[in-house]
Amino acid sequence: MAEVEEEQQLLNSSVDQGGTDEIITEGASVVRGELPQDDAAPPKVDSKVEVLHEKVTKQIIKEGHGQKPSKYATCFVHYRAWAESTQHKFEDTWREQQPLELVIGKEKKEMTGLAIGVNSMKSGERALFHVGWELAYGKEGSFSFPNVPPTADVLYEVELIGFDETGEGKTRGDMTVEERIGTADRRKMDGNALFKEEKLEEAMQQYEMAIAYMGDDFMFQLFGKFRDMALAVKNPCHLNMAACLLKLQRYDEAIAQCSIVLAEEENNVKALFRRGKARSILGQTDAAREDFLKARKLAPQDKAITRELNLIAEHEKAVYKKQKELYKGLFGPRPEPKPKSRNWLIVIWQWLLSLFHMLFRRKMRKDD
């Protein structure tokens, strides 16, 4: 296991030159783009409406980059879909954590409108499409899964993760195990190159594409050396995604990516370190310490891990000191009681009474 580097080195380095070609840079799940903030209803979009087809319109939410996919390109997309009339959401690949694989020109009939929309997109682009029922689920709708009413126009929020220009439209299912792993590895290498150029969003799209070739359905079928080969590509992609997300300050997502790796390799030092880093920034001190302690046990000479543990200890010490000062102000020592001022008239009166009492007793004794 390569050593986790010092903080500043991790901020400035790019790709591990070892056999795994794994990014080890640090910054202050399955494939998933950045989750929309509010996914209960279709997003409100103010951008210009573009007519792609008589039954398909488009509004761009986020610009993409590069070329658009051509016919028979294999596209990987995340999308959410609503029946426009009821606002019922019937599909969400972000929540399912599994992107859709769509071959332009070979899509299912109910995906015709969606395919027209995807064909107009660039990698990384996010857009809202309005698709008429004729190019969606038709006059009959769908009463199984997904549940779509008859003659329902559909709203799609779509993000194009990326695409492969295969020419013949070869899907993942048509590839051999070696082809899928090889394609994923090339995507990972492309992501690493983009990371070196600080193109983090584009790098993540390549890692997402790589992971998409090795979804759960594929991994469940692998055993022995083929599973090891797949994990040797898949896990570094998740870790590299985590490195990008840390730099982009998307800490919850970084934690999710590291947790996926730790589900397969519970003693992965880099996953423990990066998850601990994200948890520490989010203020999840106990969980962060647990990750760092486990990482230090596995890599006791690593200075970066020790530094993070020291930072947590210093932070807790500072918090304790501050709380102590606060409580001291609220519940300080009780003040000493001030001596009461004496009333001299009362004192003189008490003295006179004592004097009369003494004289009276003397007189009584003489009389006896």
Side-chain angles (χ1 to χ4, degrees), residues 290-317:
E290 183 179 344
D291 281 339
F292 288 135
L293 287 173
K294 187 171 182 179
R296 186 173 67 176
K297 186 176 180 180
L298 296 165
Q301 303 302 318
D302 197 296
K303 294 180 181 179
I305 298 171
T306 301
R307 175 180 294 190
E308 292 298 330
L309 284 167
N310 290 339
L311 287 173
I312 289 177
E314 289 172 9
H315 173 72
E316 289 184 329
K317 186 177 180 181

PDB file of all heavy atoms in Angstrom, residues 290-317:
ATOM      1  N   GLU A 290     -12.153   7.719  14.396  1.00  0.00           N
ATOM      2  CA  GLU A 290     -12.203   6.263  14.216  1.00  0.00           C
ATOM      3  C   GLU A 290     -11.527   5.845  12.909  1.00  0.00           C
ATOM      4  O   GLU A 290     -10.750   4.885  12.875  1.00  0.00           O
ATOM      5  CB  GLU A 290     -13.653   5.799  14.244  1.00  0.00           C
ATOM      6  CG  GLU A 290     -13.827   4.295  14.150  1.00  0.00           C
ATOM      7  CD  GLU A 290     -15.281   3.873  14.198  1.00  0.00           C
ATOM      8  OE1 GLU A 290     -16.135   4.692  14.612  1.00  0.00           O
ATOM      9  OE2 GLU A 290     -15.574   2.719  13.810  1.00  0.00           O
ATOM     10  N   ASP A 291     -11.809   6.611  11.823  1.00  0.00           N
ATOM     11  CA  ASP A 291     -11.175   6.306  10.535  1.00  0.00           C
ATOM     12  C   ASP A 291      -9.663   6.509  10.601  1.00  0.00           C
ATOM     13  O   ASP A 291      -8.890   5.672  10.123  1.00  0.00           O
ATOM     14  CB  ASP A 291     -11.766   7.190   9.435  1.00  0.00           C
ATOM     15  CG  ASP A 291     -13.122   6.701   8.948  1.00  0.00           C
ATOM     16  OD1 ASP A 291     -13.429   5.509   9.149  1.00  0.00           O
ATOM     17  OD2 ASP A 291     -13.870   7.501   8.355  1.00  0.00           O
ATOM     18  N   PHE A 292      -9.241   7.610  11.186  1.00  0.00           N
ATOM     19  CA  PHE A 292      -7.806   7.907  11.248  1.00  0.00           C
ATOM     20  C   PHE A 292      -7.055   6.917  12.139  1.00  0.00           C
ATOM     21  O   PHE A 292      -5.932   6.513  11.816  1.00  0.00           O
ATOM     22  CB  PHE A 292      -7.583   9.331  11.752  1.00  0.00           C
ATOM     23  CG  PHE A 292      -7.945  10.400  10.757  1.00  0.00           C
ATOM     24  CD1 PHE A 292      -8.685  11.514  11.142  1.00  0.00           C
ATOM     25  CD2 PHE A 292      -7.562  10.293   9.429  1.00  0.00           C
ATOM     26  CE1 PHE A 292      -9.014  12.502  10.236  1.00  0.00           C
ATOM     27  CE2 PHE A 292      -7.896  11.275   8.495  1.00  0.00           C
ATOM     28  CZ  PHE A 292      -8.618  12.379   8.904  1.00  0.00           C
ATOM     29  N   LEU A 293      -7.669   6.516  13.245  1.00  0.00           N
ATOM     30  CA  LEU A 293      -7.013   5.545  14.126  1.00  0.00           C
ATOM     31  C   LEU A 293      -6.826   4.204  13.428  1.00  0.00           C
ATOM     32  O   LEU A 293      -5.773   3.556  13.564  1.00  0.00           O
ATOM     33  CB  LEU A 293      -7.819   5.374  15.418  1.00  0.00           C
ATOM     34  CG  LEU A 293      -7.753   6.543  16.417  1.00  0.00           C
ATOM     35  CD1 LEU A 293      -8.735   6.306  17.563  1.00  0.00           C
ATOM     36  CD2 LEU A 293      -6.329   6.705  16.955  1.00  0.00           C
ATOM     37  N   LYS A 294      -7.843   3.793  12.674  1.00  0.00           N
ATOM     38  CA  LYS A 294      -7.728   2.534  11.943  1.00  0.00           C
ATOM     39  C   LYS A 294      -6.668   2.648  10.849  1.00  0.00           C
ATOM     40  O   LYS A 294      -5.870   1.721  10.637  1.00  0.00           O
ATOM     41  CB  LYS A 294      -9.069   2.143  11.333  1.00  0.00           C
ATOM     42  CG  LYS A 294      -9.066   0.754  10.702  1.00  0.00           C
ATOM     43  CD  LYS A 294     -10.459   0.306  10.312  1.00  0.00           C
ATOM     44  CE  LYS A 294     -10.427  -1.114   9.728  1.00  0.00           C
ATOM     45  NZ  LYS A 294     -11.790  -1.579   9.362  1.00  0.00           N
ATOM     46  N   ALA A 295      -6.641   3.801  10.174  1.00  0.00           N
ATOM     47  CA  ALA A 295      -5.633   4.013   9.138  1.00  0.00           C
ATOM     48  C   ALA A 295      -4.224   4.022   9.739  1.00  0.00           C
ATOM     49  O   ALA A 295      -3.290   3.460   9.156  1.00  0.00           O
ATOM     50  CB  ALA A 295      -5.911   5.332   8.411  1.00  0.00           C
ATOM     51  N   ARG A 296      -4.069   4.641  10.904  1.00  0.00           N
ATOM     52  CA  ARG A 296      -2.740   4.677  11.543  1.00  0.00           C
ATOM     53  C   ARG A 296      -2.288   3.290  11.978  1.00  0.00           C
ATOM     54  O   ARG A 296      -1.097   2.961  11.905  1.00  0.00           O
ATOM     55  CB  ARG A 296      -2.756   5.626  12.751  1.00  0.00           C
ATOM     56  CG  ARG A 296      -1.355   5.818  13.357  1.00  0.00           C
ATOM     57  CD  ARG A 296      -1.342   6.863  14.430  1.00  0.00           C
ATOM     58  NE  ARG A 296      -2.104   6.463  15.599  1.00  0.00           N
ATOM     59  CZ  ARG A 296      -2.179   7.182  16.715  1.00  0.00           C
ATOM     60  NH1 ARG A 296      -1.554   8.356  16.788  1.00  0.00           N
ATOM     61  NH2 ARG A 296      -2.882   6.768  17.744  1.00  0.00           N
ATOM     62  N   LYS A 297      -3.236   2.474  12.399  1.00  0.00           N
ATOM     63  CA  LYS A 297      -2.886   1.102  12.773  1.00  0.00           C
ATOM     64  C   LYS A 297      -2.347   0.332  11.572  1.00  0.00           C
ATOM     65  O   LYS A 297      -1.438  -0.490  11.691  1.00  0.00           O
ATOM     66  CB  LYS A 297      -4.119   0.395  13.351  1.00  0.00           C
ATOM     67  CG  LYS A 297      -3.839  -0.987  13.915  1.00  0.00           C
ATOM     68  CD  LYS A 297      -5.095  -1.576  14.543  1.00  0.00           C
ATOM     69  CE  LYS A 297      -4.822  -2.964  15.110  1.00  0.00           C
ATOM     70  NZ  LYS A 297      -6.056  -3.554  15.719  1.00  0.00           N
ATOM     71  N   LEU A 298      -2.915   0.638  10.385  1.00  0.00           N
ATOM     72  CA  LEU A 298      -2.475  -0.040   9.162  1.00  0.00           C
ATOM     73  C   LEU A 298      -1.218   0.592   8.582  1.00  0.00           C
ATOM     74  O   LEU A 298      -0.440  -0.081   7.902  1.00  0.00           O
ATOM     75  CB  LEU A 298      -3.602   0.001   8.125  1.00  0.00           C
ATOM     76  CG  LEU A 298      -4.888  -0.745   8.499  1.00  0.00           C
ATOM     77  CD1 LEU A 298      -6.037  -0.325   7.593  1.00  0.00           C
ATOM     78  CD2 LEU A 298      -4.663  -2.259   8.415  1.00  0.00           C
ATOM     79  N   ALA A 299      -1.035   1.887   8.826  1.00  0.00           N
ATOM     80  CA  ALA A 299       0.144   2.601   8.292  1.00  0.00           C
ATOM     81  C   ALA A 299       0.714   3.475   9.403  1.00  0.00           C
ATOM     82  O   ALA A 299       0.568   4.701   9.391  1.00  0.00           O
ATOM     83  CB  ALA A 299      -0.250   3.438   7.086  1.00  0.00           C
ATOM     84  N   PRO A 300       1.369   2.861  10.399  1.00  0.00           N
ATOM     85  CA  PRO A 300       1.804   3.599  11.596  1.00  0.00           C
ATOM     86  C   PRO A 300       2.847   4.683  11.331  1.00  0.00           C
ATOM     87  O   PRO A 300       2.992   5.603  12.135  1.00  0.00           O
ATOM     88  CB  PRO A 300       2.369   2.500  12.503  1.00  0.00           C
ATOM     89  CG  PRO A 300       2.690   1.360  11.590  1.00  0.00           C
ATOM     90  CD  PRO A 300       1.691   1.417  10.498  1.00  0.00           C
ATOM     91  N   GLN A 301       3.586   4.601  10.225  1.00  0.00           N
ATOM     92  CA  GLN A 301       4.625   5.580   9.940  1.00  0.00           C
ATOM     93  C   GLN A 301       4.103   6.776   9.137  1.00  0.00           C
ATOM     94  O   GLN A 301       4.873   7.693   8.831  1.00  0.00           O
ATOM     95  CB  GLN A 301       5.771   4.910   9.158  1.00  0.00           C
ATOM     96  CG  GLN A 301       6.393   3.717   9.862  1.00  0.00           C
ATOM     97  CD  GLN A 301       6.943   4.066  11.232  1.00  0.00           C
ATOM     98  OE1 GLN A 301       7.567   5.115  11.394  1.00  0.00           O
ATOM     99  NE2 GLN A 301       6.715   3.205  12.209  1.00  0.00           N
ATOM    100  N   ASP A 302       2.855   6.765   8.797  1.00  0.00           N
ATOM    101  CA  ASP A 302       2.319   7.808   7.927  1.00  0.00           C
ATOM    102  C   ASP A 302       2.133   9.114   8.694  1.00  0.00           C
ATOM    103  O   ASP A 302       1.357   9.187   9.642  1.00  0.00           O
ATOM    104  CB  ASP A 302       0.989   7.344   7.335  1.00  0.00           C
ATOM    105  CG  ASP A 302       0.594   8.163   6.137  1.00  0.00           C
ATOM    106  OD1 ASP A 302       0.354   9.372   6.321  1.00  0.00           O
ATOM    107  OD2 ASP A 302       0.561   7.613   5.022  1.00  0.00           O
ATOM    108  N   LYS A 303       2.819  10.154   8.249  1.00  0.00           N
ATOM    109  CA  LYS A 303       2.796  11.434   8.953  1.00  0.00           C
ATOM    110  C   LYS A 303       1.481  12.179   8.747  1.00  0.00           C
ATOM    111  O   LYS A 303       1.028  12.911   9.641  1.00  0.00           O
ATOM    112  CB  LYS A 303       3.962  12.304   8.480  1.00  0.00           C
ATOM    113  CG  LYS A 303       5.329  11.741   8.853  1.00  0.00           C
ATOM    114  CD  LYS A 303       6.436  12.650   8.356  1.00  0.00           C
ATOM    115  CE  LYS A 303       7.811  12.086   8.707  1.00  0.00           C
ATOM    116  NZ  LYS A 303       8.900  12.959   8.200  1.00  0.00           N
ATOM    117  N   ALA A 304       0.872  12.026   7.572  1.00  0.00           N
ATOM    118  CA  ALA A 304      -0.376  12.743   7.300  1.00  0.00           C
ATOM    119  C   ALA A 304      -1.498  12.283   8.227  1.00  0.00           C
ATOM    120  O   ALA A 304      -2.301  13.092   8.689  1.00  0.00           O
ATOM    121  CB  ALA A 304      -0.784  12.557   5.843  1.00  0.00           C
ATOM    122  N   ILE A 305      -1.544  10.982   8.492  1.00  0.00           N
ATOM    123  CA  ILE A 305      -2.573  10.450   9.394  1.00  0.00           C
ATOM    124  C   ILE A 305      -2.360  10.992  10.800  1.00  0.00           C
ATOM    125  O   ILE A 305      -3.303  11.441  11.468  1.00  0.00           O
ATOM    126  CB  ILE A 305      -2.545   8.906   9.397  1.00  0.00           C
ATOM    127  CG1 ILE A 305      -2.853   8.369   7.999  1.00  0.00           C
ATOM    128  CG2 ILE A 305      -3.557   8.355  10.402  1.00  0.00           C
ATOM    129  CD1 ILE A 305      -2.637   6.882   7.846  1.00  0.00           C
ATOM    130  N   THR A 306      -1.106  10.966  11.262  1.00  0.00           N
ATOM    131  CA  THR A 306      -0.781  11.490  12.593  1.00  0.00           C
ATOM    132  C   THR A 306      -1.138  12.963  12.697  1.00  0.00           C
ATOM    133  O   THR A 306      -1.676  13.417  13.707  1.00  0.00           O
ATOM    134  CB  THR A 306       0.715  11.292  12.890  1.00  0.00           C
ATOM    135  OG1 THR A 306       1.023   9.902  12.813  1.00  0.00           O
ATOM    136  CG2 THR A 306       1.071  11.799  14.277  1.00  0.00           C
ATOM    137  N   ARG A 307      -0.880  13.699  11.624  1.00  0.00           N
ATOM    138  CA  ARG A 307      -1.194  15.124  11.636  1.00  0.00           C
ATOM    139  C   ARG A 307      -2.694  15.345  11.788  1.00  0.00           C
ATOM    140  O   ARG A 307      -3.123  16.223  12.558  1.00  0.00           O
ATOM    141  CB  ARG A 307      -0.707  15.776  10.343  1.00  0.00           C
ATOM    142  CG  ARG A 307      -1.110  17.243  10.226  1.00  0.00           C
ATOM    143  CD  ARG A 307      -0.628  17.870   8.936  1.00  0.00           C
ATOM    144  NE  ARG A 307       0.818  17.932   8.903  1.00  0.00           N
ATOM    145  CZ  ARG A 307       1.509  18.596   7.982  1.00  0.00           C
ATOM    146  NH1 ARG A 307       0.858  19.225   7.012  1.00  0.00           N
ATOM    147  NH2 ARG A 307       2.820  18.609   7.993  1.00  0.00           N
ATOM    148  N   GLU A 308      -3.502  14.562  11.091  1.00  0.00           N
ATOM    149  CA  GLU A 308      -4.950  14.730  11.195  1.00  0.00           C
ATOM    150  C   GLU A 308      -5.447  14.408  12.594  1.00  0.00           C
ATOM    151  O   GLU A 308      -6.333  15.079  13.124  1.00  0.00           O
ATOM    152  CB  GLU A 308      -5.659  13.853  10.159  1.00  0.00           C
ATOM    153  CG  GLU A 308      -5.443  14.276   8.721  1.00  0.00           C
ATOM    154  CD  GLU A 308      -5.976  15.657   8.413  1.00  0.00           C
ATOM    155  OE1 GLU A 308      -6.977  16.071   9.061  1.00  0.00           O
ATOM    156  OE2 GLU A 308      -5.396  16.338   7.550  1.00  0.00           O
ATOM    157  N   LEU A 309      -4.877  13.377  13.205  1.00  0.00           N
ATOM    158  CA  LEU A 309      -5.262  13.042  14.581  1.00  0.00           C
ATOM    159  C   LEU A 309      -4.870  14.160  15.541  1.00  0.00           C
ATOM    160  O   LEU A 309      -5.622  14.494  16.466  1.00  0.00           O
ATOM    161  CB  LEU A 309      -4.606  11.717  14.994  1.00  0.00           C
ATOM    162  CG  LEU A 309      -5.252  10.457  14.396  1.00  0.00           C
ATOM    163  CD1 LEU A 309      -4.347   9.249  14.612  1.00  0.00           C
ATOM    164  CD2 LEU A 309      -6.626  10.210  15.019  1.00  0.00           C
ATOM    165  N   ASN A 310      -3.693  14.743  15.320  1.00  0.00           N
ATOM    166  CA  ASN A 310      -3.255  15.867  16.163  1.00  0.00           C
ATOM    167  C   ASN A 310      -4.177  17.070  15.992  1.00  0.00           C
ATOM    168  O   ASN A 310      -4.485  17.776  16.961  1.00  0.00           O
ATOM    169  CB  ASN A 310      -1.814  16.254  15.832  1.00  0.00           C
ATOM    170  CG  ASN A 310      -0.806  15.205  16.282  1.00  0.00           C
ATOM    171  OD1 ASN A 310      -1.105  14.393  17.167  1.00  0.00           O
ATOM    172  ND2 ASN A 310       0.373  15.211  15.700  1.00  0.00           N
ATOM    173  N   LEU A 311      -4.595  17.321  14.760  1.00  0.00           N
ATOM    174  CA  LEU A 311      -5.519  18.438  14.513  1.00  0.00           C
ATOM    175  C   LEU A 311      -6.847  18.243  15.234  1.00  0.00           C
ATOM    176  O   LEU A 311      -7.411  19.196  15.786  1.00  0.00           O
ATOM    177  CB  LEU A 311      -5.752  18.592  13.006  1.00  0.00           C
ATOM    178  CG  LEU A 311      -4.598  19.170  12.192  1.00  0.00           C
ATOM    179  CD1 LEU A 311      -4.922  19.106  10.694  1.00  0.00           C
ATOM    180  CD2 LEU A 311      -4.307  20.612  12.605  1.00  0.00           C
ATOM    181  N   ILE A 312      -7.340  16.996  15.244  1.00  0.00           N
ATOM    182  CA  ILE A 312      -8.587  16.713  15.958  1.00  0.00           C
ATOM    183  C   ILE A 312      -8.401  16.950  17.452  1.00  0.00           C
ATOM    184  O   ILE A 312      -9.252  17.559  18.120  1.00  0.00           O
ATOM    185  CB  ILE A 312      -9.052  15.270  15.678  1.00  0.00           C
ATOM    186  CG1 ILE A 312      -9.562  15.135  14.242  1.00  0.00           C
ATOM    187  CG2 ILE A 312     -10.156  14.860  16.660  1.00  0.00           C
ATOM    188  CD1 ILE A 312      -9.970  13.732  13.860  1.00  0.00           C
ATOM    189  N   ALA A 313      -7.261  16.473  17.982  1.00  0.00           N
ATOM    190  CA  ALA A 313      -6.984  16.647  19.418  1.00  0.00           C
ATOM    191  C   ALA A 313      -6.875  18.130  19.778  1.00  0.00           C
ATOM    192  O   ALA A 313      -7.422  18.581  20.796  1.00  0.00           O
ATOM    193  CB  ALA A 313      -5.696  15.912  19.788  1.00  0.00           C
ATOM    194  N   GLU A 314      -6.194  18.904  18.942  1.00  0.00           N
ATOM    195  CA  GLU A 314      -6.056  20.343  19.193  1.00  0.00           C
ATOM    196  C   GLU A 314      -7.400  21.047  19.103  1.00  0.00           C
ATOM    197  O   GLU A 314      -7.696  21.949  19.903  1.00  0.00           O
ATOM    198  CB  GLU A 314      -5.079  20.946  18.186  1.00  0.00           C
ATOM    199  CG  GLU A 314      -3.635  20.531  18.416  1.00  0.00           C
ATOM    200  CD  GLU A 314      -2.726  20.983  17.276  1.00  0.00           C
ATOM    201  OE1 GLU A 314      -3.202  21.756  16.414  1.00  0.00           O
ATOM    202  OE2 GLU A 314      -1.548  20.569  17.251  1.00  0.00           O
ATOM    203  N   HIS A 315      -8.208  20.635  18.156  1.00  0.00           N
ATOM    204  CA  HIS A 315      -9.536  21.232  18.018  1.00  0.00           C
ATOM    205  C   HIS A 315     -10.386  20.959  19.250  1.00  0.00           C
ATOM    206  O   HIS A 315     -11.045  21.871  19.780  1.00  0.00           O
ATOM    207  CB  HIS A 315     -10.218  20.670  16.772  1.00  0.00           C
ATOM    208  CG  HIS A 315     -11.647  21.098  16.632  1.00  0.00           C
ATOM    209  ND1 HIS A 315     -12.005  22.377  16.290  1.00  0.00           N
ATOM    210  CD2 HIS A 315     -12.810  20.403  16.803  1.00  0.00           C
ATOM    211  CE1 HIS A 315     -13.329  22.472  16.261  1.00  0.00           C
ATOM    212  NE2 HIS A 315     -13.837  21.289  16.555  1.00  0.00           N
ATOM    213  N   GLU A 316     -10.373  19.723  19.716  1.00  0.00           N
ATOM    214  CA  GLU A 316     -11.171  19.377  20.895  1.00  0.00           C
ATOM    215  C   GLU A 316     -10.669  20.111  22.131  1.00  0.00           C
ATOM    216  O   GLU A 316     -11.459  20.531  22.979  1.00  0.00           O
ATOM    217  CB  GLU A 316     -11.136  17.866  21.111  1.00  0.00           C
ATOM    218  CG  GLU A 316     -11.923  17.089  20.051  1.00  0.00           C
ATOM    219  CD  GLU A 316     -11.960  15.606  20.334  1.00  0.00           C
ATOM    220  OE1 GLU A 316     -10.979  15.097  20.915  1.00  0.00           O
ATOM    221  OE2 GLU A 316     -12.949  14.963  19.958  1.00  0.00           O
ATOM    222  N   LYS A 317      -9.347  20.283  22.223  1.00  0.00           N
ATOM    223  CA  LYS A 317      -8.771  21.013  23.353  1.00  0.00           C
ATOM    224  C   LYS A 317      -9.218  22.467  23.333  1.00  0.00           C
ATOM    225  O   LYS A 317      -9.567  23.042  24.380  1.00  0.00           O
ATOM    226  CB  LYS A 317      -7.243  20.926  23.294  1.00  0.00           C
ATOM    227  CG  LYS A 317      -6.542  21.537  24.499  1.00  0.00           C
ATOM    228  CD  LYS A 317      -5.031  21.340  24.387  1.00  0.00           C
ATOM    229  CE  LYS A 317      -4.315  21.959  25.588  1.00  0.00           C
ATOM    230  NZ  LYS A 317      -2.840  21.783  25.473  1.00  0.00           N
TER     231      LYS A 317
END
